[in-house]
Amino acid sequence: MSDAKNSNPIALEIAEPSSLNEQAAAALIIAGALVAVADRRVSPVERDEVIRFIRDRGLAPHIVDDRLFAMFDELAERLEEPDFANVVIDTLRPVSNMPLSSHLMELSERVAAADEDVHPQEVQAIKLLRLLTLVLPRAKQVGPGAAGTLPKE
């Protein structure tokens, strides 16, 4: 683990959200951030659109706006690093069993249109998100009945 993660508690919380609600918020934010950084310039209107989308649908009422903005900024920064694909996958995987796909796609399209100029790279980011929501391995169930459910021969 890098020193940056150890010295920044917000980064640690975002990278390893502790609750399903936090994980769902991070998944929504990563979808918007991926599209926002796709054209190499994050517009404030794109970031605002992510937060507005989350607020309008009541998807993370327990998280204050300042925290959502901080999550967006941190994740957008991480998406500029070489391992950006792992960041996206690792953020989406914990909530892959939740019915967020339609929200992720609608949010990504709204972010692309937010600055009134949809770039080809943003379209590619949306296609990547669509693909990930279809093929991302589902989170494994934990609890009674989850283990030992292999069919008998």
Side-chain angles (χ1 to χ4, degrees), residues 5-51:
K5 277 192 176 181
N6 288 331
S7 65
N8 186 350
I10 290 177
L12 182 61
E13 289 175 35
I14 293 169
E16 301 171 14
S18 59
S19 75
L20 195 55
N21 290 329
E22 289 277 326
Q23 292 170 339
L28 291 163
I29 290 170
I30 199 79
L34 180 65
V35 174
V37 301
D39 63 356
R40 298 284 186 225
R41 56 187 175 96
V42 178
S43 167
V45 72
E46 292 171 319
R47 185 177 81 155
D48 292 346
E49 185 61 34
V50 172
I51 307 310

Side-chain angles (χ1 to χ4, degrees), residues 52-88:
R52 184 179 310 108
F53 182 90
I54 291 170
R55 285 294 174 238
D56 288 351
R57 282 154 187 79
L59 297 173
H62 62 289
I63 303 175
V64 298
D65 286 356
D66 288 343
R67 172 101 171 95
L68 291 173
F69 283 122
M71 289 174 73
F72 181 93
D73 292 342
E74 175 67 26
L75 289 170
E77 217 173 281
R78 291 274 295 133
L79 290 173
E80 294 177 2
E81 296 177 13
D83 68 337
F84 77 94
N86 290 331
V87 173
V88 174

Side-chain angles (χ1 to χ4, degrees), residues 71-106:
M71 289 174 73
F72 181 93
D73 292 342
E74 175 67 26
L75 289 170
E77 217 173 281
R78 291 274 295 133
L79 290 173
E80 294 177 2
E81 296 177 13
D83 68 337
F84 77 94
N86 290 331
V87 173
V88 174
I89 291 168
D90 291 344
T91 305
L92 294 176
R93 183 177 286 130
V95 296
S96 61
N97 287 334
M98 293 179 70
L100 285 176
S101 295
S102 63
H103 289 302
L104 293 172
M105 297 317 305
E106 183 182 353

